[in-house]
Amino acid sequence: MRQPVVRCVEFVESVTEWTEGALSDDDRLTIEEHLVVCPHCTDYLVQLRLATEVVHEQPPEAPATATRTALLTAFRSQRDSR
Amino acid sequence: MHAGVDQTEADDTRLVAALRAGDEQAFGGLVDRYYGVMLRVARDYVATKEAAEDVVQETFLGVIQGIDRFEGRSSLRTWMFRILVNRARTRGEREGRTRPFSSFASGLDDDEPAVDPDRFVPDGRWAGFWSAPPSAEHLPDAKVLAVELGDRLTQAIETLPPAQRTVLELRDVRGFSSAEVCELLDISEANQRVLLHRARSKARAVLERYLQAGRP
Ligand SMILES: [Zn+2]
């Protein structure tokens, strides 16, 4: 492969700045150029996106039952006092 | 609706109407969705877990009492988290705790690389290019993986430095925007990005280890 300006080790550290749109135009272009020539970093990006999607599927941490009950009781009594 | 899905304005309008009408299920849903992450945000301002729990409870009571006055100029969740942060900050100051994001600083200190350096060519013309590259062949669907990988990923998220974990949960689980996260946590865009980067990089590493070990 033709050697890109950005090395893979730099790509994996810059990828979030790239996905977050925080790079200058020049830096953005060098990252995108890297992706065009480097199938491994393309695979890395696919894994990163998949991991983010899996994280998104995580259920929230529920409160303790007693806490939840107390809050619902407070909600009911406020409602009934109106 | 999945708990992680972004709240839209229409959802907000419906939810606010339901809360004002005294819909218990709507309120319970809000508690289930946000209690955990609120606790973590509060925890950074106050000295103990118990104090953080108090703050979150007070916040929900504040939501109950204030919902009639909610004007919809921000999203409902932004409004809730502002109540939370105000209360947590007040409580922390009363405790004499100087916050400036103690745990947020620690999440930035850890400068572990995103990928094990051994996986790159050490020297020569190709130094810094992959020697042991990742593979994206035969990747399962995210929903399937979420079931298979769920516990492992949850454990990995739990061991992240608190700041990384909070940012990951707000951004990727709860779907907050980077601007919302920066405002709520009072951190710069750059710091927010670093925290998110470290957390996502670790989540990817967990995923890769799992895929390499061979799925059942
Ligand atoms: Zn590469």
Side-chain angles (χ1 to χ4, degrees), chain B residues 29-41:
Chain B
L30 211 57
V31 171
D32 292 339
R33 202 156 32 190
Y34 292 112
Y35 188 89
V37 70
M38 279 186 162
L39 193 60
R40 220 169 344 280
V41 171

Side-chain angles (χ1 to χ4, degrees), chain B residues 9 11-13 22 34 38 47 51 63 68 70-71 77 81 89 129 133 143 149 152 168 171 187 194 198 202 205:
Chain B
E9 245 171 82
D11 290 339
D12 250 18
T13 311
Y34 292 112
M38 279 186 162
V63 168
D68 286 336
F70 173 69
E71 290 172 340
R77 68 182 185 195
F81 275 79
R89 197 174 274 144
F129 288 83
K143 287 199 164 47
L149 193 61
R152 246 176 271 210
L168 188 76
R171 287 293 309 275
I187 53 176
V194 171
R198 302 223 169 114
K202 287 175 196 164

Side-chain angles (χ1 to χ4, degrees), chain A residues 60-76:
Chain A
E61 245 178 292
T65 314
T67 308
R68 192 177 192 279
T69 308
L71 285 171
L72 284 173
T73 306
F75 182 72
R76 261 196 306 273

Side-chain angles (χ1 to χ4, degrees), chain A residues 1 4 6-9 11-12 34-35 37-42, chain B residues 120 128-130:
Chain A
M1 103 181 164
V6 171
R7 289 162 191 272
C8 303
V9 72
F11 175 87
V12 300
H34 185 96
L35 272 178
V37 298
C38 183
H40 303 320
C41 284
T42 305
Chain B
F120 300 100
F129 288 83
W130 291 101

